[in-house]
Amino acid sequence: MSSVPARTGRQRQRYEDNLRLVSGCIPYRWRKENADQIGKTEEMIEVLMISSPKRDDLVFPKGGWENDETVTEAACREALEEAGVKGILRETPLGIWEFRSKSSQDLCGMEGGCRGYMFALEVTEELEHWPEQKNRARRWLNIKEAFRLSRYDWMCNALEEFTKVMAEDRKLDNQDNNVDPPSVLVTDVSECQSMSPNCYKRSSNMQHHGVPSKSNLLQHASQEIAIHFGY
């Protein structure tokens, strides 16, 4: 059992233009057998979707953005609470989408409206136990499967943008592999602006570097901000 309960209630919920503000992410991982091969990005990556309580569909982890956290902190928190994963969050959002709750209008704003910020989260750890484990099952899918199982238009749009971003990151990463590495490497993660453990925020000027290793993370620590939630 998880020792950290999921947040509940709406006391801290943020609203804007009568819309409930929501933050979430598309958790992903590079398939190890294909990570270093040449081919289509969508064939080399898997995304994580989770089951919805009381509904027969799969979604990406997301939830209310509360007034005591940043939008990126909210995305990391929801990933941990709903999907039980930690990782490296891309700082720049994939986009902002407005949508209406299909299950219950009171889940979002006064008329059921939400404004959602979605990010890409490169998963580095899957927890064996997590807060919403009883109500949610995890499922790793390839991109085509994820598109097929995405029930709502905004999810397909976010997934399409995610695929574009990953392809561009991979292209930049391949270019970087042909450049000599920097002569100075950061080896002390304490030089990061520490806000919390368990989820790192990758700044927008960083690219993906294959399946992440601890050494790679340390090399680029000066450009990443640690976000910790104490989970």
Side-chain angles (χ1 to χ4, degrees), residues 22-41:
V22 171
S23 183
C25 65
I26 298 180
Y28 72 95
R29 67 185 181 188
W30 294 89
R31 298 175 62 178
K32 293 182 180 180
E33 66 272 20
N34 294 329
D36 297 324
Q37 297 180 10
I38 299 176
K40 294 183 179 179
T41 300

Side-chain angles (χ1 to χ4, degrees), residues 98-103 105 108 111-114:
E98 293 184 5
F99 52 91
R100 185 181 300 275
S101 169
K102 295 293 193 317
S103 61
Q105 288 191 344
C108 295
E111 298 181 355
C114 296

Side-chain angles (χ1 to χ4, degrees), residues 161-179:
E161 187 61 29
F162 166 82
T163 304
K164 292 178 182 178
V165 168
M166 292 298 103
E168 181 62 23
D169 276 5
R170 187 162 169 262
K171 179 180 178 181
L172 293 173
D173 185 54
N174 289 336
Q175 293 175 356
D176 287 347
N177 288 336
N178 296 323
V179 179

Side-chain angles (χ1 to χ4, degrees), residues 6 20-29 46-53 55 57-65 69 71-89 94-95 97 99 115-123 125-126 130-133 135-141 146 149-150 152 154-155 158-159 162 199:
R20 182 186 179 217
L21 298 186
V22 171
S23 183
C25 65
I26 298 180
Y28 72 95
R29 67 185 181 188
E46 293 177 325
V47 297
L48 182 65
M49 300 184 77
I50 54 176
S51 59
S52 298
R55 296 203 307 275
D57 60 1
L58 294 176
V59 296
F60 298 115
K62 71 181 190 314
W65 173 15
E69 60 189 354
V71 66
T72 52
E73 289 174 339
C76 285
R77 175 177 57 76
E78 292 293 340
L80 187 142
E81 290 181 357
E82 294 190 350
V85 294
K86 305 175 184 178
I88 304 171
L89 189 78
L94 298 170
W97 287 271
F99 52 91
R115 179 173 292 157
Y117 296 73
M118 292 297 291
F119 298 84
L121 177 75
E122 186 170 14
V123 174
E125 182 180 357
E126 289 184 61
W130 67 97
E132 298 189 21
Q133 183 176 7
N135 298 320
R136 299 186 184 274
R138 297 184 293 211
R139 184 173 174 185
W140 285 102
L141 303 162
L149 294 172
S150 291
Y152 308 117
W154 75 266
M155 290 176 58
L159 193 56
F162 166 82
C199 189

